[in-house]
Amino acid sequence: MRYLLLAVGILGGVIPSALFAQESGSPPEASPNSDSEVAIESPSASPGPGFEDLIVVTGSLEPQELGEGLTTVTVIPRSEIEARQVYFIDDALRTVPGVSSARTGGPGKAVSFFLRGANSNQALVLWNGLPLNDPFFGAFDGSLLTTDGADRIEVVRGPLSTVYGSSAVGGVIQLISGTDNGFMIRGEAGEDGHSRVSSSLGWNLGATTLDLVGAWATDDGVVANDDYDLGFGTGRLLWEAEESLSLGLLIRGLSSEIGIPRSGVTPTPNRRQDSDAREIVIPAHGVGDGWRWRANLGSANGDFLFRDPDASFSVNDTETTRQRARAVVSWDWSQDGWLAFGGEWSEEEASNESNFGSNLDEETQRNSAAFAQAHWSSGDVTIEGGLRYDDSDTFGSQSSPSFAIAWAIQPQLRLRAGWAESFRAPSLGELFFPFSGNPDLQPESASGWEVALEGGWGQNGTRWNAAVVAFDNRVDDLIEFDFVTFRNVNIGEARSRGAEAWVGWFRGPWSGRLTSTWLDAEDRRSGEALLRRADEEWSLEIGWAGDDLSTRLTAFAVGERPDVDPVTFTTIQASSYARVDWALRWQARQNLAPYLRIDNLFDEDYEEAAGFPAPGRRFIAGLELRLGR
């Protein structure tokens, strides 16, 4: 599989986004790239972090201008991804306030996300509108999503079940693909056997565009059996039948093999893990007089194989499938308001086998949903409310209401507040796995609120933006293993509260951004802090972009956090750490650009997850060639 993906990478191509012209005062129209939309970038967008004049697509049923929506959104555009030279999505998210990640070792190893202190299976991850969370255990492994071909990454913090249903408790992470016409090939190499090749090629055939993108990477790691080997490929066929109708086909495949060097302090020289992911999305989009519709058919398939001939559980093989159909219709009921409504159907299936036999045999759960959202503005006040109703064949029904309001104190300063309920459906493993499974499980239910003060201003070529957001989220009926009954039961309770703040700055070739997060996340039954959530996180980005030379310095710091000692299995306090990365790019010729980056510039010794040391300082150099852009 990975060698097929490598061939795709050498031929290459990037998934394009269909951009639709906007008239002043008219609502944004959507592309068929996702459930609802893709990014639309204004020609006046600046290269500074956080200053792109973009349409945000993830926070509601209708696309909204960045800074005008009623949710807390961070957009990481392609310009920032390329400036920082990051390829795994967790590296890109390290500077997003409210988002924590834990990687079990170096690049390519398993990654968990925690949004505003919520569990990793309470963060919904989307690829062009298609959910990627694993049906078997509910979470998403961040090592299985790269930034290749990405136009942007949108991160919405806070409950979003009104829009997306299950798992959107802490928030939503969505990668949206973009366009890059012409041919590009990029190759790099570095320490510890690191090498990476990526390529893209895009064609415009009148009303039809056909694009491909691919990559292959390998790395030896820092100890024995710490390597990874990854192949990735994606493509898109887009047909614009007429101005008011577009149809598309998006496909994605990824194959990854990694070594697992130890269990606790015990070396595991033959322990390996293979992961394969395949997705297909068929989107459609149409517009009429005062209304729009968007439809999306998608399928996600995953294979996970764990093997270790030296262990008693020598083989564990899991196969998962998700089918999903979704449609949204939007209507402009006045100049100052819109109404969006729609429906969704999904089916999940999982099978699991070990060397002891079958654990799950094509277990399934089905869900259907109806949802609506209304938006209205009058003068300085904007109000938005929504409701979603889910009906499942395993847990019954669930309602998810939401309400938000914003007041423009001044043209550049806004105060807003929001409240919502959300839920996470039990996964197939939690429902049906032998001994621990419980078919009577109910969804984890949550409610949360946030209050934000945000603004942006500028003069004499200098632009600023800043925000402070306070939040409080509570989760009941958490699914936990009960050692009395030896089953999964709804007995847990958790609370996460805190604040996020950031300030961004741009002037000429210089740009910068400072972010911070304060978090108090606790298990309400025991009073203990939740594992792997730091009480403080900080990040700093400083960039400079000249005519031919550009550079970016990225620093982030993570405070102390509780974790589990891999030897004694007792709770320990993991040490705080700070890391600095530096990237440099030189446009030597019109189509040729060498680049350099240094990861972990000051050789910090740290562990994101206890027992899994992160790599030290690494030097990586590469060369990019572009033709026909």
Side-chain angles (χ1 to χ4, degrees):
M1 177 67 175
R2 62 178 53 87
Y3 299 107
L4 174 61
L5 297 175
L6 173 58
V8 173
I10 294 176
L11 292 174
V14 176
I15 300 176
S17 303
L19 305 182
F20 294 82
Q22 302 296 301
E23 296 181 3
S24 176
S26 63
E29 298 177 358
S31 148
N33 247 24
S34 67
D35 263 352
S36 38
E37 47 300 83
V38 307
I40 303 173
E41 184 167 350
S42 164
S44 63
S46 72
F51 291 103
E52 286 77 359
D53 300 323
L54 300 170
I55 298 297
V56 175
V57 305
T58 307
S60 70
L61 293 178
E62 264 291 275
Q64 296 176 328
E65 291 185 13
L66 181 62
E68 297 297 326
L70 274 70
T71 54
T72 301
V73 183
T74 295
V75 178
I76 306 173
R78 175 187 293 176
S79 58
E80 181 177 335
I81 293 171
E82 293 183 346
R84 291 170 56 188
Q85 301 178 25
V86 290
Y87 299 117
F88 287 104
I89 191 170
D90 61 308
D91 287 324
L93 298 180
R94 292 183 187 279
T95 59
V96 177
V99 178
S100 301
S101 62
R103 179 190 282 170
T104 56
K109 299 307 173 68
V111 177
S112 298
F113 295 116
F114 308 99
L115 273 62
R116 288 188 173 173
N119 287 340
S120 58
N121 55 13
Q122 296 171 342
L124 181 62
V125 180
L126 305 174
W127 175 72
N128 293 298
L130 179 66
L132 300 182
N133 291 51
D134 183 71
F136 183 53
F137 66 93
F140 174 73
D141 179 0
S143 70
L144 303 181
L145 187 60
T146 72
T147 63
D148 298 278
D151 179 72
R152 61 204 267 130
I153 302 168
E154 292 187 358
V155 185
V156 185
R157 278 91 73 202
L160 273 183
S161 288
T162 299
V163 180
Y164 296 105
S166 177
S167 299
V169 175
V172 175
I173 299 167
Q174 176 161 211
L175 186 146
I176 300 171
S177 300
T179 185
D180 194 5
N181 293 328
F183 173 75
M184 183 278 292
I185 186 166
R186 180 189 296 130
E188 65 180 41
E191 296 178 284
D192 300 322
H194 172 83
S195 61
R196 196 175 198 279
V197 178
S198 61
S199 184
S200 66
L201 182 62
W203 298 270
N204 189 335
L205 308 174
T208 303
T209 56
L210 178 63
D211 303 87
L212 301 170
V213 62
W216 170 81
T218 185
D219 196 298
D220 293 339
V222 294
V223 296
N225 196 37
D226 190 32
D227 60 304
Y228 82 85
D229 187 359
L230 181 145
F232 168 87
T234 186
R236 178 193 183 206
L237 178 68
L238 174 65
W239 176 49
E240 295 190 50
E242 52 189 58
E243 186 178 350
S244 59
L245 177 64
S246 296
L247 301 174
L249 173 66
L250 296 93
I251 58 173
R252 173 183 178 267
L254 181 143
S255 181
S256 172
E257 180 181 352
I258 66 172
I260 303 174
R262 62 175 63 88
S263 175
V265 295
T266 305
T268 52
N270 298 308
R271 182 167 294 184
R272 309 289 294 179
Q273 175 181 307
D274 293 343
S275 300
D276 292 282
R278 301 170 302 281
E279 291 89 33
I280 181 170
V281 178
I282 303 174
H285 165 260
V287 297
D289 185 12
W291 60 273
R292 298 158 298 283
W293 64 268
R294 299 173 298 277
N296 180 295
L297 296 175
S299 175
N301 298 270
D303 298 322
F304 172 86
L305 176 62
F306 170 92
R307 61 190 189 278
D308 187 348
D310 304 325
S312 56
F313 286 90
S314 58
V315 175
N316 192 302
D317 187 5
T318 303
E319 297 182 4
T320 62
T321 301
R322 173 186 284 110
Q323 313 290 340
R324 179 173 174 268
R326 177 179 168 104
V328 179
V329 177
S330 303
W331 170 53
D332 300 324
W333 59 272
S334 76
Q335 259 192 337
D336 302 314
W338 51 259
L339 173 66
F341 54 91
E344 182 180 299
W345 173 88
S346 65
E347 179 183 82
E348 298 178 346
E349 181 179 298
S351 299
N352 177 266
E353 295 182 358
S354 69
N355 53 303
F356 293 104
S358 176
N359 298 311
L360 292 182
D361 185 15
E362 297 183 351
E363 297 288 353
T364 64
Q365 65 173 328
R366 298 176 182 86
N367 187 82
S368 56
F371 43 81
Q373 192 173 44
H375 179 100
W376 176 74
S377 297
S378 178
D380 297 330
V381 177
T382 301
I383 298 175
E384 191 171 276
L387 178 65
R388 176 177 170 125
Y389 178 83
D390 285 82
D391 184 59
S392 170
D393 65 354
T394 58
F395 62 80
S397 62
Q398 186 78 22
S399 298
S400 305
S402 66
F403 177 80
I405 185 170
W407 172 41
I409 304 172
Q410 297 179 359
Q412 296 84 24
L413 187 64
R414 187 173 69 147
L415 177 67
R416 61 176 175 84
W419 165 88
E421 293 185 359
S422 59
F423 75 99
R424 183 187 75 86
S427 68
L428 290 168
E430 291 167 329
L431 289 166
F432 302 118
F433 199 80
F435 306 111
S436 63
N438 181 1
D440 297 324
L441 286 172
Q442 294 299 302
E444 299 176 343
S445 59
S447 64
W449 59 261
E450 69 175 17
V451 177
L453 182 64
E454 54 195 12
W457 61 96
Q459 59 182 355
N460 300 325
T462 301
R463 298 176 66 187
W464 294 81
N465 64 10
V468 177
V469 185
F471 61 87
D472 187 295
N473 299 320
R474 302 190 183 199
V475 185
D476 296 316
D477 299 322
L478 276 170
I479 299 172
E480 297 181 353
F481 182 76
D482 182 12
F483 287 94
V484 177
T485 63
F486 283 90
R487 301 182 77 193
N488 296 320
V489 293
N490 296 100
I491 58 174
E493 300 178 18
R495 179 179 184 179
S496 299
R497 54 187 174 181
E500 303 163 1
W502 62 91
V503 58
W505 168 79
F506 166 74
R507 180 179 176 85
W510 290 96
S511 61
R513 179 172 53 204
L514 175 67
T515 75
S516 60
T517 304
W518 298 272
L519 179 66
D520 177 18
E522 69 171 11
D523 183 324
R524 295 177 64 191
R525 296 177 66 219
S526 67
E528 300 293 329
L530 296 178
L531 296 178
R532 293 183 177 175
R533 281 79 147 182
D535 55 359
E536 289 186 41
E537 295 194 34
W538 299 77
S539 75
L540 173 65
E541 291 181 75
I542 299 175
W544 182 85
D547 293 336
D548 300 321
L549 194 68
S550 62
T551 184
R552 179 69 64 97
L553 187 74
T554 305
F556 55 91
V558 178
E560 293 185 347
R561 61 227 173 271
D563 208 332
V564 176
D565 187 284
V567 179
T568 64
F569 298 102
T570 59
T571 301
I572 60 173
Q573 199 70 6
S575 300
S576 60
Y577 65 89
R579 174 177 145 179
V580 178
D581 298 335
W582 177 69
L584 177 70
R585 177 187 173 94
W586 175 40
Q587 196 68 43
R589 296 187 178 181
Q590 182 179 2
N591 299 317
L592 193 65
Y595 61 90
L596 170 71
R597 73 174 179 273
I598 305 176
D599 296 335
N600 197 0
L601 179 64
F602 297 110
D603 202 23
E604 176 81 353
D605 184 12
Y606 69 99
E607 296 178 350
E608 294 183 29
F612 299 93
R617 180 170 47 234
R618 292 177 129 197
F619 293 83
I620 297 172
L623 185 66
E624 178 182 285
L625 172 67
R626 288 185 177 271
L627 299 174
R629 187 177 183 179

